[in-house]
Structures are given as structure tokens and as C-alpha cells.
Amino acid sequence: MTQIFIENNELDITEGLSNQITYAIDDLNNLDSKSTSFSKTIILPGTAKNNQLLGNIFEFANSNFTSDSTPNVYYNFNASRSAKARIEIDGVQTMKGVLRLLQIIVDGQHIEYEVAIFGELGGFFSSLGAKKISDLDFSNWNHEYSIANIVDSWDNANAGEGYYYPLIDYGSVSLNNKHDFYYRAFRPALFVREYIDKIITGAGYTWESNFFDTNFFKRLIIPNNQSKFLVNKNQALTAQVQDSFNLTNPSLIRLINNNGLFTPDINNEIFTYTGVSNFDGVINLSISGKFSINPLPRYSQIGQVFGTFAIYKNGSLFYVDTNNRFGGNDGPNGIVNQTYNLTFTNIPLTLLTNDTISIVGLQFDATGIKYITGNAIGNITLITQNPLLSPANLGDYVTINSTIPANILQKDFFASILKMFYLMVTEDKYRDRHLKIEPFVDFYDLSPSSYLDWSNKVDRSQPIKIKPMSEVTARYYTIKYKSDSDYHNELYKKKYNEGYGDRTFDNMLEFAKDSDTTEVIFSATPLTGYSGEDKVFSAIMKKSNNAEEQTEHNIRILQAKKIEGVSNWKICDASGGTLTTENKYGYAGHLDNPDAPNSDINFGVPKELYFELVSGALSNNLFNAFYSPYLAEITDKDSRLVTCKMYLNSTDIYNLDFSKFIWIDGVLYRLNKVKDYTEGELTEVDLLRVIYNQY
């Protein structure tokens, strides 16, 4: 007897229902995809029970409030999200996953529901939907942007969680021919393992993986990819007024120490707003000082002199604080000496991108003045109503989520990790929503005692198809990173007509002509080194007439390592002053160690390196470590894909384990697909002959 359950509630089904279920783990014809179990369309009758379990969704005027935190059934049923489901045959679970409502058919008083059930991997990807990695909560790693936190983070190089500040040449961040670096060369990165954990658990799933717990995987990081390291600030401009003057006309006050979304002109007098979103906030100003007026030669007593400060926007007068005017009577010989203390508070200000603002000081309404001398000192702040992303300065509070690459879907991120390391994903049959994830090279149980002998399950009266893998459609398999337009990637692409670190495998099969391309969302990151320097680092910049420029760039993935014993070097402030001297640095690159590499997350060996490699191996790349064994097996001259009909029962299906080898007539196979299983009927099975069982 077949039973179907939704959120642990049994559905009514048509008597004699013959549901066909396909179980699969891999697509031999497409390296770029993974498979999961799924059923053919199932027709459910519109009984009172089914109508109730599915929230009476057949009613045209149906409308209900739903909660994602409660089971997706009864009044809470929401067809736009998955519902936990399972199929049992004679009390034995043959499939578990999620149910999706495909269509409702109403024919008079007769109602039918067309549904399908997908394995938990399919349900997992469905639950991710349009969620982005920036939606994940990393707030526990918020911290102060400080030299101490930068340097201390290097100890986290293979922690698998937390933040890490790698040395990356983003352009215009170095001194002394790439020996010393400004602190702006250091931006926080987060670990891939923590991204993966939060993606899976955030979708309501759990996971296990020996591979994700290796030091190799735990040292993978995702660096910041903004053109500038930005943090959320309410203060878009904080400037110190400090100037002296000797003028007879109104003058612009110079502002120094700008640390916001404003770019000063060459004299630090006019500031251009460079933010992307509109600035909607207030301006506060506090200035004090002393001025003298000396109308030499003395013509007459000029009486009382008044003056004030004014704010100009786009070159036009925006605000004058008439309530805080200052002045004084001329003294002996017509000389006026006057101290002042002005405060402007919470003056509303709205700016669009490229608007300018300036402060004009000491506007006098007296006439006949020949000389004005004095000074001004104080502070000006522009404060937004809502936080704006602004360039980070030491001492700023880093809200770590604002540093995450933007508009990257979680499902694309997860899928690219699967592709990089050719990971196999299976669902645990005992635990709901629990994923098991391992690379192909570690996935299979090599113990002979675990082999299953299915020789007696084959129906010999049915045709057995044996397909030599020389008939695969693709001859060329290209595995690559996504192209990017930074200087070194473009330089390499123009020179070699391929991406840095890409790999194309020619299987030499004469009857195959097409190409199969697998691409991940990440871009490659070339390493650079300079003569006389012992630090090797990733470079992500553009160049124009040999001038370095910082640039927005595609998301990257790198290996982290704290490298010690290098020549003393300095982290400097914006003016080149020494903040700290170090003989170590936080490295990040495609190699695990640029001085003696043992692993490389490029797919292939680059044809050119932009630094001098002293020792080590470049052959332990992703293709050789994770793809080569699989491709060697499916393109071997003795490889066979066998398709036959088998007698499988519900116990066989319940115990289905793609990691176990199958014996048939003394030959070892990998189980690849069980197609359209129906209890009591013959089932078509795909098996791939095992050529190599160790790598």
C-alpha cells in the first residue's frame, strides 16, 4: 500500500496509484549539474481531507494569513513555499523531500490537485529562492577597524569562521615600491565554511561533511570586492576647520581631515558629495577664533562692524545664521579686536550626487575696511538621517554585513562551491533535511564488505544496453572562473586567450566534437611579487597610463595563511606615517603558500606567474585533485554505462545508497540513476563501470 504524507499528515490518494520516482545523484552528460530524487506528477483527489490539508486553495476567493515558522499545511498552507513530504510503501519510506503543488483542476464539483515530490536537495535549492549572501547574519563579527584587529586577525587564517584582513593590492595602497602599505590595503574577509553553514542552516537544513572540516577548506575566504572599503556611517562628513586669513573679502574656510563621502578640491575648500544615494540629513558647525580689522590709513571712526559665517551649496548661498552674528566697535586708531564663537546646529541639508558644499567665513557688512586678519578653528559634521556607506577610517565601527559582496544569490554561491570541488550531495534517510556533502574522490565506500551484489536482480529477459563512453557528446571539458576586467586578468586574457587558472581537458575521443563548459561565479585572482621584496600578494586593480586605480570587481575566493619571517615592513596612515612595523603578514591567494605551494585553487596551471616561484608544486590544482579522477573514469576506453531492468523492492529503495558499489556478474559498478521506480514493477537502472577505485 502506498501512502503520501504532507507535514506528517496523510493525504488521500487514488486507489491503485502508481507513482513513478527517479533517484539520481549525478548527470554524466553535464558536469555543471547535480541531480536529486523526484516523482512524476501525482494526481490527488479533491476529497474533504485533501482540501482541508491544502488550505482549501481551490476556492477562487481563498485568502489566508500564513507563517513560515509553522508547518505548511491546513489553513497555513502556502503554495509558494515547500511542504515537508514523504512516500511510504507498505510502511517503508521510499522517498522524502518536499511537495510542490503544480496545478488545481476544477471541473464542476470535481477537484483534482497535480503535485510532485522532490528530494531534499531539490527542496533545499527551492528554499533558497532569491536570498542573497548579504542577507546572512554575520553581526557577531562586527568590530572596530583598528591596526590591532587587522594584525590579530592573521591568526585566524584557517579558523573557518570569524574575519580575516588579508594584504591585497587594490591599487594606490602601497609605498616604497610595494614594500610598505597604507592601512586601506586591509579589508575584512569572511570564511567560505561559515558562508556555507549559514546558507544551509538558514534554509532550515543541517549538514555533515568531512571535507568542510579540513584545514584546506577552512582557510578559504571571500575578500571584500568594493572599489573602496565602505562602512555605514551617520556622519557622512567630519571635518576640522583650521585656518588663518588676511583678506578684505569673504573667504572659503579650508576643511581638513575629511573622512566621509565627500571629495575636496585641491585647496580643501569645496567638497563634492560622491555618495550614490541621496544625502538627507543635517549640518552642524562650531567655529571660534579671533579677528582684527585695521582700516589703515585711518579715515574715520567706522562704528560697529558685523560679520558671520555662511554655507554655500553648488556655489549659491544656502544658509546664513543671522542669530549668531558677531561684531564690535572700532577701538583706538580704528582698530577692532574681536573674539567670536559661532554654532550652527541641525541645519537641514539635502544633497544629490556631485553637489558641492563650502563654508564661507567672516562676511562683513561694514565699508572702508582695508585689512582683516584672524583665525578660525572648530569642527563641521554632516549627519545623515539614515546611515550611508562611507570610506572606512581607523576607529570606525565595521558592520561586517556591509562588506559582503552585493547581489550574489545564495544558491549560486552554494552551487559554485559544489562545482569547484566536484562535490556529491546526498540526503540522510534517517534525519529530515540533513545533507551529506563530500567530493567525488572521497564519496564512495571502498570497503569490499559494503559492496552490494545485485546480479540476481537483473531481468535477463529484457534488453541490456551497454554504452561505451567513447560516445559521450563532449570532447573538450573546460572548467573556468568567471572573467573579470582588472589589470592582471585582462593582461593574461589578451596574451593567452584564456582566463587565468582555467583548464580545458581534451579526452581525445574521435567521435565527439562538442565542448562542455563549467563556470563558477568567482573570478581568478593573479598573485604578484616585486624585485627585492619577499611579500607575495593578490592584486585586484586597474591601470590607466601606469597609474593604479581602485575598481569594483567580481567576487573572489582565496586561500588564507599567516606568513612569518619576512623583512620588516610598515603599515602606514594616510600621510605615510608609521602605524606598526611587522615581520609577518596576512596572505591570501590562489596558492596555499606562495613560497612553497602544495595546493592551488586554480583549475589549471597558469601559463605565466607574476612573481618568482622559489619552490613547491603547481600541479595540485582543482582539476587534478577533484576532476581528473572522474573524467579519467568516464572517458577510459574500458568505461561502460550499463542500462538494464531490475527487480527492486521497497526495502532496496529504502536502503538506496549511491556511495556503495554494486556487483553484477563479477563486475563493479557505481549506481548512477534509478528511473521511474514503481513498487512491484521492473525498474530501469543506470550503472557506471568502476575503472579506478582509488585516486
Side-chain angles (χ1 to χ4, degrees), residues 231-245:
V231 296
N232 278 315
K233 297 182 183 181
N234 285 97
Q235 291 187 347
L237 168 65
T238 302
Q240 182 181 4
V241 178
Q242 188 169 351
D243 211 351
S244 60
F245 40 85

Side-chain angles (χ1 to χ4, degrees), residues 52-167:
Q52 188 179 24
L53 287 172
L54 299 177
N56 292 311
I57 196 171
F58 70 91
E59 296 177 346
F60 293 111
N62 179 279
S63 179
N64 61 309
F65 295 100
T66 63
S67 170
D68 291 348
S69 61
T70 56
N72 190 16
V73 70
Y74 291 115
Y75 185 78
N76 195 56
F77 182 74
N78 182 352
S80 67
R81 66 185 183 95
S82 60
K84 186 172 69 173
R86 72 179 186 273
I87 298 175
E88 292 184 2
I89 297 176
D90 296 332
V92 178
Q93 178 179 285
T94 57
M95 183 181 179
K96 68 183 177 71
V98 295
L99 179 143
R100 179 183 175 188
L101 177 60
L102 303 175
Q103 185 173 235
I104 307 165
I105 300 173
V106 180
D107 183 5
Q109 299 298 313
H110 184 68
I111 301 169
E112 287 183 341
Y113 300 95
E114 293 185 0
V115 302
I117 298 178
F118 298 89
E120 290 182 332
L121 180 59
F124 168 68
F125 274 100
S126 177
S127 66
L128 295 181
K131 296 178 184 176
K132 299 179 174 64
I133 60 173
S134 54
D135 297 329
L136 302 170
D137 182 11
F138 288 94
S139 60
N140 54 320
W141 304 125
N142 293 348
H143 62 280
E144 180 185 342
Y145 188 34
S146 69
I147 295 299
N149 283 335
I150 290 172
V151 174
D152 290 347
S153 76
W154 300 341
D155 291 327
N156 297 334
N158 62 350
E161 64 177 11
Y163 61 85
Y164 179 79
Y165 277 89
L167 170 58

Side-chain angles (χ1 to χ4, degrees), residues 278-350:
N278 295 345
F279 176 94
D280 185 14
V282 297
I283 182 170
N284 296 320
L285 181 148
S286 177
I287 301 176
S288 61
K290 182 177 182 179
F291 68 90
S292 297
I293 302 176
N294 189 347
L296 296 175
R298 183 169 181 264
Y299 294 106
S300 62
Q301 298 290 326
I302 62 174
Q304 196 170 31
V305 179
F306 293 96
T308 188
F309 283 75
I311 303 170
Y312 280 71
K313 174 180 171 181
N314 294 329
S316 299
L317 181 64
F318 171 72
Y319 181 84
V320 174
D321 190 347
T322 56
N323 294 322
N324 280 308
R325 295 165 65 85
F326 57 87
N329 294 313
D330 58 333
N333 300 317
I335 298 175
V336 175
N337 292 296
Q338 181 69 42
T339 59
Y340 59 88
N341 192 334
L342 297 176
T343 300
F344 301 163
T345 304
N346 294 329
I347 303 168
L349 177 66
T350 300

Side-chain angles (χ1 to χ4, degrees), residues 483-500:
S483 296
D484 208 352
S485 60
D486 57 285
Y487 173 74
H488 288 94
N489 269 317
E490 279 201 335
L491 182 68
Y492 188 92
K493 183 69 174 287
K494 289 177 181 178
K495 189 171 183 178
Y496 299 106
N497 196 32
E498 66 180 23
Y500 184 86

Side-chain angles (χ1 to χ4, degrees), residues 426-605:
T426 55
E427 303 113 33
D428 191 284
K429 63 184 176 183
Y430 301 111
R431 288 177 284 182
D432 285 340
R433 300 192 173 199
H434 184 78
L435 304 179
K436 297 180 177 181
I437 308 170
E438 298 296 344
F440 172 85
V441 293
D442 298 323
F443 176 72
Y444 291 95
D445 186 346
L446 303 181
S447 172
S449 61
S450 69
Y451 298 171
L452 302 175
D453 192 341
W454 281 10
S455 300
N456 293 331
K457 294 183 180 293
V458 179
D459 185 350
R460 313 285 174 163
S461 67
Q462 298 288 327
I464 298 176
K465 300 177 184 178
I466 303 174
K467 184 177 181 180
M469 294 310 291
S470 60
E471 295 184 12
V472 295
T473 58
R475 172 167 175 169
Y476 304 99
Y477 291 90
T478 298
I479 309 169
K480 59 187 293 188
Y481 283 102
K482 187 176 181 179
S483 296
D484 208 352
S485 60
D486 57 285
Y487 173 74
H488 288 94
N489 269 317
E490 279 201 335
L491 182 68
Y492 188 92
K493 183 69 174 287
K494 289 177 181 178
K495 189 171 183 178
Y496 299 106
N497 196 32
E498 66 180 23
Y500 184 86
D502 294 349
R503 174 65 186 267
T504 297
F505 170 66
D506 181 0
N507 57 34
M508 304 300 291
L509 299 179
E510 295 182 6
F511 301 104
K513 297 180 180 180
D514 294 338
S515 298
D516 184 292
T517 299
T518 296
E519 182 180 82
V520 297
I521 63 171
F522 309 106
S523 291
T525 308
L527 286 166
T528 59
Y530 292 83
S531 177
E533 297 297 331
D534 54 2
K535 294 192 298 298
V536 175
F537 39 82
S538 293
I540 313 173
M541 69 175 84
K542 285 197 173 184
K543 285 189 179 181
S544 178
N545 297 322
N546 287 325
E548 297 177 353
E549 298 176 356
Q550 298 181 3
T551 180
E552 301 282 344
H553 50 276
N554 191 41
I555 185 173
R556 308 299 176 92
I557 183 170
L558 303 171
Q559 298 191 73
K561 181 180 177 62
K562 177 182 177 181
I563 295 182
E564 302 182 86
V566 298
S567 301
N568 284 353
W569 63 285
K570 301 173 183 177
I571 302 179
C572 302
D573 61 22
S575 61
T578 301
L579 296 171
T580 183
T581 300
E582 300 292 338
N583 63 356
K584 58 186 179 296
Y585 72 104
Y587 161 83
H590 61 85
L591 300 175
D592 62 332
N593 183 345
D595 300 318
N598 186 52
S599 70
D600 186 358
I601 58 171
N602 280 340
F603 292 107
V605 178

Side-chain angles (χ1 to χ4, degrees), residues 366-414:
T367 60
I369 298 173
K370 301 290 289 185
Y371 298 102
I372 304 172
T373 60
N375 62 65
I377 188 168
N379 294 283
I380 296 174
T381 58
L382 274 68
I383 301 175
T384 61
Q385 303 293 347
N386 299 304
L388 291 174
L389 286 173
S390 306
N393 290 287
L394 291 179
D396 285 340
Y397 185 72
V398 178
T399 304
I400 202 71
N401 268 64
S402 67
T403 71
I404 294 174
N407 295 319
I408 303 296
L409 294 176
Q410 293 181 21
K411 62 183 179 183
D412 291 341
F413 185 97
F414 185 83

